[in-house]
């Protein structure tokens, strides 16, 4: 065979140098079932509940028209969001997941040589999107409590900073930023720098001192809010998210969008999910209750983990990360390791959470301190 196959000449196309700086996205792996047991994928912070029947109905109906392009203006969803959030529709920009919207933000703001400041560790997509643009990622280490160090982030802002990303609650460690520290931070950031509050896990937040991002956005023209239907709303597979930003920014984000990026199934499912919010909220509250149960049990077992406001928990086991991953896997749990920093585990069905607690009870965890 091989001797008759003509060899392909090596390519001479010229790729951008910026690609060399792009880290690979490490996605949560699929669950691997052990013989005789259910496996749980608790590596991607997905909603464990199946889609609501009312949402599936509109998706099924819309599926009969997938020979047509979606509404490029995403009109119905944009209007529904404007009404629900009480903001003008002109302040909303949608995209294929909030990662897609964040890509639009970076495209709209960043040239090579510009800087984007964010905490680290934080969301894996940040360094990828920044590197793709050719801009420079300025990573500011988390505090010893695995929280944003907003003072250090303000110190890191330079003349070249175009955007600052604040992930609240922070993925993968869990804490929200506090209202007072965020206001103090925003007072220090120059007015010509866009600050993005990434609230992918907003619906799970229960801390009393968490910020009201929309109110902050209303008061500050350089603040945008980023949200998604992927987590609490359970639409991760359909890809839809949005930003709320002041008009010139929102308009720029719509310009920077890939045409027809939000597909027709995602549009109708998101609208139906907004309408079914009360039903979804019951599920969110159950997950929040499970989170409280898991945190209490971990504390009881002697674990020192950050206070999480999201649908996941951070286990800062350092060098023992691969061992904890293996122990989880043996218990039928696919979790998300972060190098030799720790492991992030999604709060899921009670059975999956019970298995996690059985693993953590048996795992050596003396004198651990959260670390980012
Ligand atoms: C999951 C997540 C998102 C949302 O991703 P989608 O593209 O909307 O699925 C955004 N930000 C953070 C921090 C996340 O963890």
């Amino acid at each position: 065979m091989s001797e008759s196959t003509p060899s392909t000449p090596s390519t001479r196309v010229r790729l951008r140098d910026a690609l060399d700086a792009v880290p690979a996205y490490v996605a949560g792996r699929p669950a691997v079932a052990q013989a005789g047991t259910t496996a749980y994928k608790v590596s991607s912070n997905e909603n464990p509940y199946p889609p609501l029947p009312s949402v599936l109905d509109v998706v099924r109906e819309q599926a009969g028209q997938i020979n047509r392009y979606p509404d490029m203006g995403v009109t119905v969803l944009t209007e529904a969001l404007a009404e629900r959030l009480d903001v003008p529709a002109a302040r909303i920009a949608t995209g294929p997941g909030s990662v897609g919207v964040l890509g639009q933000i970076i495209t709209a703001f960043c040239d090579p040589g510009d800087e984007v400041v964010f905490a680290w560790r934080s969301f894996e997509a940040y360094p990828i999107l920044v590197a793709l643009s050719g801009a420079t990622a300025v990573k500011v280490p988390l505090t010893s409590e695995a929280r944003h160090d907003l003072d250090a982030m303000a110190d890191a802002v330079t003349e070249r900073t175009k955007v600052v990303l604040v992930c609240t609650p922070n993925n993968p460690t869990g804490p929200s930023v506090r209202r007072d520290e965020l206001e103090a931070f925003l007072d220090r950031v120059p007015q010509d720098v866009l600050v993005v509050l990434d609230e992918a896990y907003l619906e799970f937040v229960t801390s009393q001192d968490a910020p009201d991002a929309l109110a902050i956005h209303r008061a500050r023209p350089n603040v945008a809010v980023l949200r998604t239907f992927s987590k609490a709303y359970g639409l991760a597979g359909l890809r839809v998210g949005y930003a709320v930003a002041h008009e010139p920014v929102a308009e720029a984000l719509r310009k920077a969008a890939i045409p027809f990026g939000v597909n027709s199934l995602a549009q109708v499912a998101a609208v139906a999910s907004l309408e079914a919010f009360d039903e979804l909220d019951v599920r969110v509250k159950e997950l929040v209750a499970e989170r409280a149960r898991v945190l209490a049990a971990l504390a009881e077992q002697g674990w020192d983990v950050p206070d999480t406001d999201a649908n996941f928990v951070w286990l800062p086991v350092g060098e023992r990360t691969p061992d904890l991953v293996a122990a989880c896997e043996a218990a039928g749990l696919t979790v998300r390791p972060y190098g030799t920093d720790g492991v992030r585990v999604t709060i899921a069905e009670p059975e999956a959470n019970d298995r996690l607690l059985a693993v953590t009870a048996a795992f050596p965890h003396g004198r651990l301190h959260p670390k980012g």
Side-chain angles (χ1 to χ4, degrees), residues 25 44-45 95-102 122-126 167-171 198-201 226-231 235-236 239-242 312 344:
Y25 189 93
S44 298
N45 300 340
S98 55
V99 169
V101 184
L102 185 57
S122 191
F123 187 32
E124 293 281 284
Y126 297 163
C167 187
T168 181
N170 187 49
N171 175 6
D198 183 348
E199 294 199 306
Y201 302 95
L226 197 57
R227 292 186 180 167
T228 180
F229 285 91
S230 294
K231 307 283 163 52
L235 300 181
R239 318 301 307 127
V240 53
Y242 61 95
F312 53 81
R344 187 194 69 198

Side-chain angles (χ1 to χ4, degrees), residues 14-24 128 131-134:
R14 290 162 294 167
L15 291 163
R16 286 173 61 221
D17 293 340
L19 289 167
D20 296 338
V22 177
I128 296 174
L132 271 176
S133 74

Side-chain angles (χ1 to χ4, degrees), residues 218-249:
R218 285 192 182 91
R220 297 183 185 260
N222 64 327
V223 171
V225 180
L226 197 57
R227 292 186 180 167
T228 180
F229 285 91
S230 294
K231 307 283 163 52
Y233 285 88
L235 300 181
L238 283 178
R239 318 301 307 127
V240 53
Y242 61 95
V244 181
H246 289 267
E247 276 84 348
V249 175

Side-chain angles (χ1 to χ4, degrees), residues 3-198:
E3 52 287 14
S4 62
T5 307
S7 68
T8 310
S10 58
T11 185
R12 298 181 57 188
V13 298
R14 290 162 294 167
L15 291 163
R16 286 173 61 221
D17 293 340
L19 289 167
D20 296 338
V22 177
Y25 189 93
V26 185
R29 287 180 300 125
V32 185
Q34 311 286 314
T37 61
T38 321
Y40 293 96
K41 181 188 178 204
V42 283
S43 53
S44 298
N45 300 340
E46 293 151 336
N47 195 316
Y49 294 98
L52 290 176
S54 60
V55 173
L56 269 185
D57 281 347
V58 296
V59 169
R60 276 203 196 90
E61 196 183 307
Q62 188 63 41
Q65 296 184 50
I66 55 172
N67 53 313
R68 303 291 176 191
Y69 280 103
D71 169 17
M72 186 162 143
V74 197
T75 323
V76 180
L77 174 58
T78 302
E79 293 293 339
L81 285 167
E83 193 182 317
R84 173 159 288 263
L85 306 174
D86 193 25
V87 295
R91 289 200 189 179
I92 293 173
T94 55
S98 55
V99 169
V101 184
L102 185 57
Q104 292 157 220
I105 293 174
I106 301 297
T107 300
F109 279 85
C110 295
D111 286 318
D114 289 340
E115 294 176 354
V116 179
V117 172
F118 52 88
W120 199 252
R121 282 189 180 268
S122 191
F123 187 32
E124 293 281 284
Y126 297 163
I128 296 174
L129 293 172
V130 173
L132 271 176
S133 74
T136 302
V138 177
K139 298 174 171 179
V140 178
L142 297 172
T143 68
S144 59
E145 293 178 305
R147 301 168 44 82
H148 278 53
D149 187 341
L150 289 170
D151 276 334
M153 288 176 71
D155 291 342
V157 171
T158 72
E159 291 275 287
R160 281 164 301 178
T161 306
K162 291 289 185 70
V163 179
V164 179
L165 305 173
V166 175
C167 187
T168 181
N170 187 49
N171 175 6
T173 57
S176 295
V177 297
R178 284 187 294 263
R179 188 184 313 122
D180 55 348
E181 65 183 1
L182 181 61
E183 294 281 8
F185 165 77
L186 290 168
D187 286 343
R188 287 188 60 197
V189 175
Q191 290 299 301
D192 61 353
V193 173
L194 181 76
V195 178
V196 178
L197 306 177
D198 183 348

